[in-house]
Amino acid sequence: MARGRSANGRAVQVEDTKICVVMVGLPARGKSYIAQRAQRYLQWLSIDAKTFNVGNYRRTDAPHPSADFFDISNVEGERRRRAAAEAAIADMLGWFRQGGVIGILDATNSTKERRKWVYDVCSAEGIEVLFVESKCDNEELIMANIRDVKTTSPDYKGQDPEKAAQDFRNRIQMYEKVYKSIDEDGDESHLTYLKILDIGAQVVINRIQDYLQSRVVYYLMNLHIRPRSVWLSRHGESMYNLDGRIGGDADLSPRGHAYARKLPELVRKSVGDDRPLTVWTSTLKRTIQTARFLPSNYNQLQWKALDELDAGTCDGMTYQEIKDAYPEDFVARDEDKYNYRYRGGESYRDVVIRLEPIIMELERSEDILIVTHQAILRCIYAYFMKKDQTRSPWMNVPLHCLIKLTPRAYGTDEERYQADIPAVSTWRGKGSTAKHEDPGPGANI
Ligand code: ATP
Ligand code: F6P
């Protein structure tokens, strides 16, 4: 049974599904990139997912192999590579037995024999197999991938990058001798697979079986690798922020309006040139007011899904008023802030679910500036920065600060641009009912 928890912390996700996502493709085709993205997305949705990278297992036995190690006629090399794959699969099966839901087997799996073996082993344990192949023949891109991530791999530690790149190209040739794209010969049509051709220019989907598989497939279909950034800002300080009131639809305070006027300059500085951004706001006045001085050639779009976490019956109250009216709820929220659902309102977990289309659209898009609210920004930030969902609701996101996130091959870079305009702090520590509190360094995750 897939493990997932309801907003109240009870198990609800009853899909009787375990899936092994088996990566397929020649080296330097973005398999690890895709595997890591899938894992991050699933973990963000609280779906138990883990990647098993066969290269890491091989490295414990053969840390710095040269290209001929990967030659199919190298008997010793073949034996050790097979042993690494066996060890990774054994660990993955053990992890599935303990309740894992989506295991990602990150290896080339480039022959029909290897795929049949993985398929048989998983099927015998009742695990569905979804093959995800990345096929790409763009020489320039492959060379860039080698330069960007392969010459710095632990395989080539301490080696001259030029020699490392040449050896890696030789390694690719070894694989090319035996590589078969999935169903190339027409005898793998019984397999479930997603084939991503030329970084998504074309995709081929075969025999997708259930909801969870289709979600993974849809997500992976939306990925692209064009350079871009995502800018995040909370709205300027609002009249409710000054009072320590949550929710509502208040106007900006005078300092909040000053931030709105300052925002175009901050954005320009962080973009570095004149290219226009697309701006997403919520439907609430404070984000729309914050975005209103941005240049007129920026497209603006309002999303209901970006509205602040709905505090239900507590909307418009201060934390002290909530504690007085609902003392048990106040304690319950501090105990499990991610799962606590306001009476008649939402939990952080609910917010993540409603943000899924936003994440999907963000993955498809290029440069986007999002002006939104404290809880929403925490959830989006947690997605990009892979933050633990139990901690992200406690994260300090100051007002009047622009965050620039730039996705890279294996992570996301972050820069912050603080406007020189004071604002109250709306961060609240466990147990506190203070209207405004100093977050201290521990709150910055
Ligand atoms: P190896 O078999 O050596 O482990 P790999 O296929 O796992 O190689 P990655 O390490 O994931 O390759 O390569 C990362 C690079 O691939 C990144 O620079 C990323 O931009 C790029 N990339 C991501 N997706 C694709 C894709 N669909 N096709 C080609 N390159 C991609
Ligand atoms: O205080 C500002 C605010 O955006 C409220 O409208 C919202 O309820 C709150 O932050 C979310 O933060 P927390 O989850 O820490 O209460």
Side-chain angles (χ1 to χ4, degrees):
M1 179 161 307
R3 275 193 304 185
R5 278 143 54 95
S6 75
N8 300 318
R10 290 188 299 273
V12 285
Q13 198 171 333
V14 288
E15 296 148 38
D16 227 348
T17 311
K18 284 179 193 301
I19 304 174
C20 178
V21 175
V22 182
M23 302 308 304
V24 175
L26 289 169
R29 265 55 182 187
K31 298 183 300 298
S32 298
Y33 174 94
I34 294 167
Q36 288 187 17
R37 284 302 194 81
Q39 176 179 312
R40 189 182 82 186
Y41 163 71
L42 292 162
Q43 286 179 344
W44 183 73
L45 288 169
S46 302
I47 295 172
D48 199 0
K50 189 167 174 186
T51 301
F52 297 83
N53 179 291
V54 175
N56 290 340
Y57 285 80
R58 185 263 302 151
R59 258 187 288 278
T60 60
D61 181 38
H64 308 296
S66 59
D68 56 6
F69 178 84
F70 300 91
D71 188 341
I72 190 98
S73 62
N74 179 340
V75 176
E76 182 53 14
E78 269 292 286
R79 188 191 62 74
R80 287 157 83 175
R81 284 166 60 204
R82 168 93 185 185
E86 277 168 1
I89 291 175
D91 279 358
M92 186 179 69
L93 294 180
W95 174 82
F96 271 124
R97 285 182 207 119
Q98 285 176 11
V101 178
I102 302 200
I104 307 172
L105 185 66
D106 183 12
T108 54
N109 299 306
S110 49
T111 63
K112 285 195 264 185
E113 294 69 31
R114 176 60 63 92
R115 293 196 283 272
K116 180 173 181 332
W117 170 47
V118 176
Y119 178 82
D120 289 346
V121 169
C122 289
S123 301
E125 301 247 353
I127 299 162
E128 296 174 7
V129 181
L130 165 62
F131 290 97
V132 173
E133 174 169 358
S134 171
K135 192 167 186 305
C136 171
D137 300 319
N138 179 332
E139 263 304 304
E140 229 173 276
L141 175 68
I142 289 152
M143 277 316 292
N145 288 351
I146 294 175
R147 258 197 326 271
D148 289 352
V149 294
K150 297 307 170 189
T151 55
T152 52
S153 141
D155 283 4
Y156 295 112
K157 192 160 187 275
Q159 290 193 32
D160 170 51
E162 280 304 314
K163 285 197 181 126
Q166 186 50 51
D167 184 79
F168 200 83
R169 288 183 62 78
N170 294 343
R171 185 191 296 193
I172 294 176
Q173 281 172 8
M174 297 300 168
Y175 278 96
E176 277 169 345
K177 286 195 221 166
V178 291
Y179 170 54
K180 276 274 172 210
S181 176
I182 297 187
D183 208 16
E184 188 180 319
D185 296 338
D187 54 359
E188 291 184 304
S189 58
H190 57 292
L191 299 179
T192 295
Y193 63 82
L194 163 68
K195 217 187 264 208
I196 303 171
L197 302 154
D198 295 327
I199 339 152
Q202 200 187 349
V203 291
V204 180
I205 300 171
N206 194 58
R207 289 187 188 272
I208 300 304
Q209 295 169 30
D210 54 40
Y211 177 63
L212 206 46
Q213 285 187 5
S214 64
R215 255 169 116 168
V216 174
V217 166
Y218 184 55
Y219 175 74
L220 295 182
M221 279 169 59
N222 283 312
L223 295 184
H224 70 75
I225 56 168
R226 295 183 295 281
R228 55 86 172 259
S229 296
V230 173
W231 286 260
L232 303 173
S233 172
R234 291 180 64 187
H235 53 77
E237 181 188 74
S238 74
M239 297 308 286
Y240 259 31
N241 292 150
L242 287 177
D243 291 348
R245 296 193 179 280
I246 68 168
D249 191 12
D251 288 313
L252 295 184
S253 72
R255 294 191 302 201
H257 284 297
Y259 177 67
R261 266 182 229 105
K262 181 89 181 180
L263 189 57
E265 184 190 320
L266 273 191
V267 171
R268 229 183 351 261
K269 189 168 146 204
S270 74
V271 172
D273 55 46
D274 287 338
R275 70 181 185 277
L277 306 184
T278 297
V279 184
W280 296 353
T281 66
S282 75
T283 64
L284 297 169
K285 280 193 292 193
R286 54 195 184 276
T287 63
I288 296 166
Q289 288 174 3
T290 304
R292 83 187 144 148
F293 298 112
L294 289 164
S296 55
N297 61 341
Y298 284 25
N299 272 335
Q300 293 209 16
L301 198 69
Q302 294 170 15
W303 290 79
K304 184 97 179 89
L306 288 173
D307 285 2
E308 182 53 308
L309 180 145
D310 181 355
T313 54
C314 295
D315 188 70
M317 291 172 137
T318 64
Y319 290 114
Q320 184 61 54
E321 286 166 355
I322 297 173
K323 189 176 182 190
D324 293 343
Y326 307 107
E328 284 163 16
D329 285 59
F330 190 78
V331 172
R333 186 162 199 257
D334 276 2
E335 274 173 4
D336 187 359
K337 194 172 176 188
Y338 186 68
N339 287 302
Y340 171 83
R341 180 184 280 156
Y342 277 109
R343 293 165 184 243
E346 289 179 302
S347 64
Y348 272 85
R349 183 180 291 274
D350 294 332
V351 168
V352 162
I353 290 164
R354 90 157 126 100
L355 283 176
E356 206 194 345
I358 296 278
I359 294 298
M360 221 48 105
E361 199 51 35
L362 267 179
E363 286 300 355
R364 296 158 53 81
S365 310
E366 299 193 358
D367 291 332
I368 303 280
L369 162 61
I370 305 179
V371 183
T372 182
H373 306 265
Q374 177 161 255
I376 306 303
L377 201 150
R378 284 172 175 153
C379 295
I380 297 174
Y381 182 90
Y383 168 77
F384 280 105
M385 302 307 283
K386 228 176 161 215
K387 293 296 178 192
D388 179 353
Q389 298 286 38
T390 55
R391 290 185 61 211
S392 56
W394 296 101
M395 177 188 145
N396 176 36
V397 195
L399 286 164
H400 301 178
C401 174
L402 179 67
I403 302 175
K404 178 182 182 184
L405 301 179
T406 306
R408 303 276 180 217
Y410 295 153
T412 306
D413 288 350
E414 173 177 353
E415 290 161 67
R416 290 194 179 206
Y417 298 80
Q418 190 71 48
D420 194 15
I421 298 165
V424 296
S425 164
T426 60
W427 182 85
R428 183 186 74 84
K430 256 186 202 179
S432 166
T433 55
K435 245 198 319 193
H436 309 127
E437 213 180 333
D438 177 3
N444 296 307
I445 58 166

